[in-house]
């Protein structure tokens, strides 16, 4: 019985041209239906939130880009260990470098070129800056470590889970349910963690402020990304036998 | 017309995968477009805790009295005004559209009971981890490290170490 199922499964990739054409047509029509429903959703959300439709458009772009390029943050951190491949790691570094240029510009506009507006009434805290400048400390290490284990076991990080839900992976729909449960547990225990001074440091650390200005921060940021790119490239080439 | 030629457009522009570099450049640009227009940066996991809290509150559990929900009570949560909630919906639908246009959509069932345990454990760990570190691979990394925040760098190193341990566990128990 099980043998038959396997044979049937193995034979599916060898569909006839007619079957393939039919599948293409059905899925093409379905994509049109999905798009129309999404536009209706965007129109509805727009009535509740003036930025709603734009945010939904960017989100749709994220999903399309992640799926088409098989971009996976988890794999970028797992593959160097598991398979020795660093192609995704390098791509993530490129994305970080481009984003850094954008955030640098936005933040320079907000802080002034020599951080003169920082600490004034206009800009009291670094957490108000564009981007997530948040508390850094032992809690970051602890949370990141647990998250890294979870992402590899679950077969996808946060963005990857949502992407695979759209691709039709049943596993990621289950991950999603337990991601929600885990998040509630996390929210419930966070105040307890925050009350232990060793575990939680309520200090957002902003590199331009820490290092004493934009120039050292830029040297650190892009220098580190460049060095990491070179390390990833050499490591990947060594593992694949190119070097 | 041969079948191949007829579907050349489909193969080339809808089915052919993009390079990782293309993905990297576009993700960075879309993420920047989001912060330039809305003033808020991309995140993913924040809403998950709120959705969980909302479900619990509907079940009659007063989560808003918990210390963890003090700053962001479920009672005043509005999903349509929550940026990451909207982009999350977008990611699911965007990926669905991409596979449909490529004619590659298929329900991918669980391969074994091990996958179920992996999904449960992995989901729980990601949820707990993300709340403790104040974000995930997007909010505490992709829109944190480029924003010159030290916690983005620390998160990267930590998630990398976690991924190394996770890989060993994956090979040993879940494959």
């Amino acid at each position: 019985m099980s043998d038959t199922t396997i044979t049937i499964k193995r034979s599916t990739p060898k569909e006839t041209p007619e079957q393939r054409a039919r599948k293409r047509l059905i899925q093409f029509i379905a994509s049109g239906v999905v798009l129309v429903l999404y536009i209706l959703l965007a129109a509805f959300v727009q009535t509740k939130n003036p930025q709603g439709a734009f945010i939904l458009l960017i989100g749709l772009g994220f999903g399309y880009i992640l799926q088409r390029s098989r971009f996976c943050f988890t794999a970028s951190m797992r593959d160097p260990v598991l398979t020795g491949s660093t192609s995704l790691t390098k791509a993530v570094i490129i994305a970080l470098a481009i984003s850094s240029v954008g955030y640098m510009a936005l933040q320079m506009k907000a802080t002034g070129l020599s951080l003169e507006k920082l600490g004034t009434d206009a800009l009291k805290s670094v957490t108000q800056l564009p981007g997530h400048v948040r508390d850094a400390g032992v809690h970051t290490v602890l949370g990141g470590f647990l998250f890294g284990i979870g992402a590899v076991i679950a077969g996808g990080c946060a963005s990857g889970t949502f992407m695979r839900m759209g691709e039709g992976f049943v596993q990621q729909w289950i991950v999603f349910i337990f991601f929600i449960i885990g998040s509630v547990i996390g929210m419930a225990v966070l105040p307890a963690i925050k009350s232990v001074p060793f575990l939680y440091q309520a200090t957002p650390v902003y590199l331009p402020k820490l290092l004493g200005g934009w120039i050292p921060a830029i040297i650190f940021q892009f220098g580190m990304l460049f060095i990491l790119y070179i390390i990833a490239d050499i490591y990947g080439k060594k593992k694949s036998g190119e070097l | 017309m041969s079948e191949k030629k007829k579907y050349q457009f489909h193969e080339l522009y809808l089915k052919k995968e993009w390079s990782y570099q293309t993905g990297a450049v576009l993700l960075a640009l879309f993420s920047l477009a989001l912060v330039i227009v809305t003033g808020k940066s991309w995140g993913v996991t924040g809403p998950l805790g709120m959705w969980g809290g909302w479900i619990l509150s509907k079940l009659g559990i007063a989560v808003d009295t918990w210390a963890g929900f003090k700053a962001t009570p479920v009672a005043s949560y509005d999903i349509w005004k929550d940026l990451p909630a909207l982009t999350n919906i977008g990611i699911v639908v965007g990926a669905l559209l991409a596979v449909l246009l490529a004619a590659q959509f298929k329900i991918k069932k669980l391969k074994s009971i091990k996958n179920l345990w992996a999904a449960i454990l992995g989901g729980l760990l990601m949820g707990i981890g993300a709340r403790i570190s104040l974000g995930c691979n997007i909010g505490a990394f992709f829109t944190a490290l480029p924003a010159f925040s030290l916690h983005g760098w620390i998160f990267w190193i930590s998630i990398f170490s976690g991924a190394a341990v996770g890989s060993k566990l994956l090979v040993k128990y879940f494959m």
Side-chain angles (χ1 to χ4, degrees), chain B residues 65-132:
Chain B
T65 58
W66 299 4
F69 282 87
K70 275 268 151 63
T72 52
V74 170
S76 56
Y77 179 73
D78 183 352
I79 188 169
W80 310 123
K81 292 204 170 83
D82 191 16
L83 181 140
L86 296 179
T87 48
N88 287 348
I89 298 170
I91 294 170
V92 177
V93 179
L96 174 64
L97 264 185
V99 281
L100 283 175
L101 286 171
Q104 287 168 332
F105 181 79
K106 202 174 156 236
I107 301 279
K108 287 137 188 127
K109 290 184 192 137
L110 284 181
K111 286 193 199 101
S112 71
I113 193 78
K114 278 182 179 175
N115 291 59
L116 178 69
W117 292 118
I120 294 173
L121 185 65
L124 285 175
L125 284 175
M126 278 199 283
I128 297 169
R131 293 296 28 97
I132 294 177

Side-chain angles (χ1 to χ4, degrees), chain B:
Chain B
M1 211 192 294
S2 75
E3 208 220 355
K4 212 178 166 190
K5 218 168 178 182
K6 199 171 155 192
Y7 292 109
Q8 216 171 31
F9 174 85
H10 180 261
E11 290 283 335
L12 270 179
Y13 302 109
L14 295 174
K15 201 174 165 191
K16 200 179 163 212
E17 286 166 340
W18 299 352
S19 71
Y20 292 146
Q21 283 85 347
T22 307
V25 173
L26 289 174
L27 276 182
L29 292 179
F30 272 64
S31 161
L32 289 172
L34 192 66
V35 62
I36 288 169
V37 174
T38 67
K40 286 183 216 140
S41 289
W42 185 21
V44 173
T45 47
L48 297 178
M50 298 310 294
W51 297 348
W54 183 84
I55 294 167
L56 288 181
S57 72
K58 292 287 156 197
L59 294 173
I61 298 161
V63 286
D64 284 352
T65 58
W66 299 4
F69 282 87
K70 275 268 151 63
T72 52
V74 170
S76 56
Y77 179 73
D78 183 352
I79 188 169
W80 310 123
K81 292 204 170 83
D82 191 16
L83 181 140
L86 296 179
T87 48
N88 287 348
I89 298 170
I91 294 170
V92 177
V93 179
L96 174 64
L97 264 185
V99 281
L100 283 175
L101 286 171
Q104 287 168 332
F105 181 79
K106 202 174 156 236
I107 301 279
K108 287 137 188 127
K109 290 184 192 137
L110 284 181
K111 286 193 199 101
S112 71
I113 193 78
K114 278 182 179 175
N115 291 59
L116 178 69
W117 292 118
I120 294 173
L121 185 65
L124 285 175
L125 284 175
M126 278 199 283
I128 297 169
R131 293 296 28 97
I132 294 177
S133 56
L134 315 175
C136 58
N137 60 299
I138 303 298
F141 173 58
F142 196 62
T143 51
L145 188 149
F148 297 86
S149 178
L150 182 66
H151 91 296
W153 285 95
I154 299 176
F155 191 74
W156 198 9
I157 301 165
S158 315
I159 197 175
F160 211 98
S161 336
V165 174
S167 303
K168 305 265 183 251
L169 293 174
L170 182 74
V171 173
K172 207 169 169 195
Y173 299 105
F174 299 104
M175 273 171 100

Side-chain angles (χ1 to χ4, degrees), chain A residues 189-202:
Chain A
V189 299
L190 188 59
I193 290 173
K194 278 188 174 173
S195 67
V196 183
F198 167 74
L199 286 178
Y200 195 96
Q201 287 74 38

Side-chain angles (χ1 to χ4, degrees), chain A residues 132-143:
Chain A
H132 293 135
V133 184
R134 299 287 180 267
D135 297 344
V138 176
H139 62 277
T140 319
V141 177
L142 189 65

Side-chain angles (χ1 to χ4, degrees), chain A residues 4 18 49 65 132 136 159 170 195:
Chain A
T4 346
E18 289 76 28
N49 175 355
I65 298 163
H132 293 135
S159 51
V170 171
S195 67

Side-chain angles (χ1 to χ4, degrees), chain A residues 120-141:
Chain A
T120 65
D121 278 347
L123 189 63
K124 278 215 176 79
S125 161
V126 288
T127 55
Q128 292 169 285
L129 284 166
H132 293 135
V133 184
R134 299 287 180 267
D135 297 344
V138 176
H139 62 277
T140 319
V141 177

